[in-house]
Amino acid sequence: MYFFVNDYNSICYPEILDALRESMDESNVGYGFDSHSERARDLIKKALGDEDVFIRFIPGGTPANILGLTCGMRQQDSIFSLATGHVKGHEAGSIEATGLKLELIHKDGGKLSVADLKEAMKDFGSEYQSHPKKVYISNTTELGEVYKRKEIEEIYDFCKENDMYLFIDGARIAAALASEKCDYSLADLTKMCDIFYLGGTKAGFLFGEALIIKNDKLKEDFLNLEKQKGAMLAKGFISGIMWERVFEDPEFYLKGSKDAFAMAKKLSQGFEEKGFSLAYPFESNQVFVLMDDKDVERLREFAGFETMGKKDGKNICRFVTTFRTSPGDVEGFLEKL
């Protein structure tokens, strides 16, 4: 069975397991204040080229989004997000459960733009509405798109002009940085938003994300919020060991994502060569293909993948590659196809 269901379908890089084994006999303090976590933070700051950031290791993407979107917010504040945003349809109302409101923007595609925000802002400004205070985007988007540098900078400029914060969901930011479409590097990220996270769960880690806060206002009382939301691990040193090992080599964090991109590119080209149409342009490790019901049924016999609704009367089928996807996997699948 060829497996393209998601990008978190295996345990982790063997190097991470080795690092955990090497630390097996240690005794560490808890809650992310151990020496491994401190060194990991220093290594990430060095890679980012920014010593003025606050970093915490969070167990997963949903708590990272909750913390990233709720820090620095009042009850009357709200968050702009596209209706296709991950926090809208994939997290069981986690943001609304905090008492904050998602103000949804509807459009085709998964990228938010300044034009979208300007149009949305026309409906706000009185005591009858919530007070937009933060903007949510994900990179890559839910449709596998990669934001260009100018697109993010324009959104960030708009946020600063309107006394708002920009939060980037980085569950797949390694996939974005590894894409041929990307025109910025890891070291540019702290200049492009107020708060974001580096995804680990979907980038070869056992679990976890590194939440990075640039704006000083959002750092205030963050540890209290992290504890309140159940995201402060007692055994935080496990996260520290993983991030420390990966960032000991500046190239390691993106290595697997670059391999995943290469395999996704090979996969997307193979689909098109065999006469299938892509539902969305190929830009990252997610490949969306249009298929009729008969093709879906046939492929289910030898491949794992997800269907994501309909477009032009056909099924949108998503195929995702990982750091473990090999040329043999892709070639074998395409030959079977």
Side-chain angles (χ1 to χ4, degrees):
M1 176 70 73
Y2 299 99
F3 200 86
F4 299 102
V5 174
N6 55 47
D7 38 12
Y8 45 91
N9 57 63
S10 59
I11 295 175
C12 64
Y13 286 114
E15 292 90 339
I16 287 177
L17 282 182
D18 290 342
L20 292 170
R21 288 193 195 97
E22 290 164 9
S23 305
M24 189 68 71
D25 296 324
E26 295 179 359
S27 296
N28 288 282
V29 297
Y31 302 109
F33 299 108
D34 59 282
S35 60
H36 293 290
S37 296
E38 292 294 347
R39 182 164 182 259
R41 284 189 276 267
D42 288 341
L43 291 170
I44 293 172
K45 288 178 181 179
K46 184 177 180 181
L48 293 171
D50 194 332
E51 294 292 324
D52 189 37
V53 292
F54 182 77
I55 303 174
R56 290 293 294 175
F57 301 120
I58 310 301
T62 298
N65 285 334
I66 292 171
L67 291 169
L69 289 174
T70 58
C71 64
M73 300 285 275
R74 307 167 302 170
Q75 287 289 276
Q76 66 268 38
D77 292 336
S78 60
I79 301 149
F80 276 136
S81 168
L82 283 179
T84 57
H86 190 84
V87 290
K88 160 59 172 68
H90 296 270
E91 294 186 352
S94 62
I95 304 306
E96 289 88 347
T98 68
L100 295 173
K101 189 177 191 309
L102 287 177
E103 297 289 2
L104 299 179
I105 298 173
H106 297 267
K107 65 173 293 188
D108 292 332
K111 277 187 181 181
L112 191 65
S113 71
V114 169
D116 299 326
L117 290 168
K118 287 181 177 179
E119 185 63 27
M121 285 290 281
K122 294 178 182 178
D123 294 329
F124 295 87
S126 79
E127 70 275 17
Y128 296 109
Q129 292 88 29
S130 66
H131 180 261
K133 188 65 178 177
K134 199 169 284 189
V135 172
Y136 168 91
I137 63 172
S138 65
N139 198 21
T140 64
T141 74
E142 285 298 287
L143 305 183
E145 300 149 310
V146 176
Y147 278 93
K148 303 290 282 187
R149 182 183 190 125
K150 183 180 179 182
E151 292 171 326
I152 299 178
E153 288 179 339
E154 287 177 347
I155 293 173
Y156 191 31
D157 288 342
F158 179 87
C159 288
K160 288 183 286 188
E161 291 165 4
N162 290 275
D163 192 27
M164 301 169 72
Y165 304 116
L166 175 59
F167 169 67
I168 301 178
D169 175 339
R172 290 192 173 98
I173 206 160
L177 292 167
S179 171
E180 293 174 348
K181 300 282 290 186
C182 189
D183 57 355
Y184 43 90
S185 69
L186 194 66
D188 296 314
L189 295 177
T190 63
K191 307 175 188 68
M192 301 166 71
C193 63
D194 296 289
I195 180 171
F196 69 100
Y197 65 93
L198 300 177
T201 301
K202 296 175 180 176
F205 285 60
L206 190 63
F207 63 85
E209 333 296 320
L211 186 63
I212 298 164
I213 308 176
K214 176 64 177 179
N215 191 308
D216 289 340
K217 292 181 180 179
L218 301 183
K219 300 173 187 177
E220 297 174 7
D221 300 324
F222 184 85
L223 293 177
N224 305 79
L225 183 67
E226 180 185 346
K227 183 64 174 175
Q228 183 194 72
K229 300 306 179 190
M232 185 181 284
L233 286 179
K235 291 189 176 182
F237 55 84
I238 295 176
S239 295
I241 291 168
M242 292 193 289
W243 288 95
E244 178 186 36
R245 174 63 190 90
V246 168
F247 273 86
E248 282 175 342
D249 177 358
E251 303 297 322
F252 193 172
Y253 180 62
L254 295 183
K255 177 182 177 297
S257 295
K258 289 179 178 178
D259 292 341
F261 177 82
M263 293 302 98
K265 183 177 181 179
K266 186 179 182 72
L267 187 63
S268 68
Q269 290 173 340
F271 274 120
E272 291 187 300
E273 289 170 0
K274 295 182 182 299
F276 290 93
S277 297
L278 300 185
Y280 310 110
F282 163 70
E283 296 188 7
S284 65
N285 70 318
Q286 300 181 80
V287 182
F288 296 85
V289 186
L290 294 176
M291 292 186 178
D292 59 32
D293 292 341
K294 184 178 179 180
D295 286 327
V296 171
E297 183 179 352
R298 184 167 59 91
L299 263 65
R300 293 281 191 212
E301 296 176 2
F302 60 89
F305 57 95
E306 289 189 334
T307 54
M308 317 288 287
K310 297 273 190 177
K311 183 178 181 180
D312 300 331
K314 291 191 174 184
N315 300 287
I316 301 172
C317 300
R318 188 185 73 158
F319 296 79
V320 189
T321 57
T322 80
F323 74 99
R324 294 178 67 242
T325 306
S326 69
D329 293 331
V330 176
E331 290 164 5
F333 169 77
L334 290 174
E335 182 177 349
K336 189 79 174 177
L337 178 64

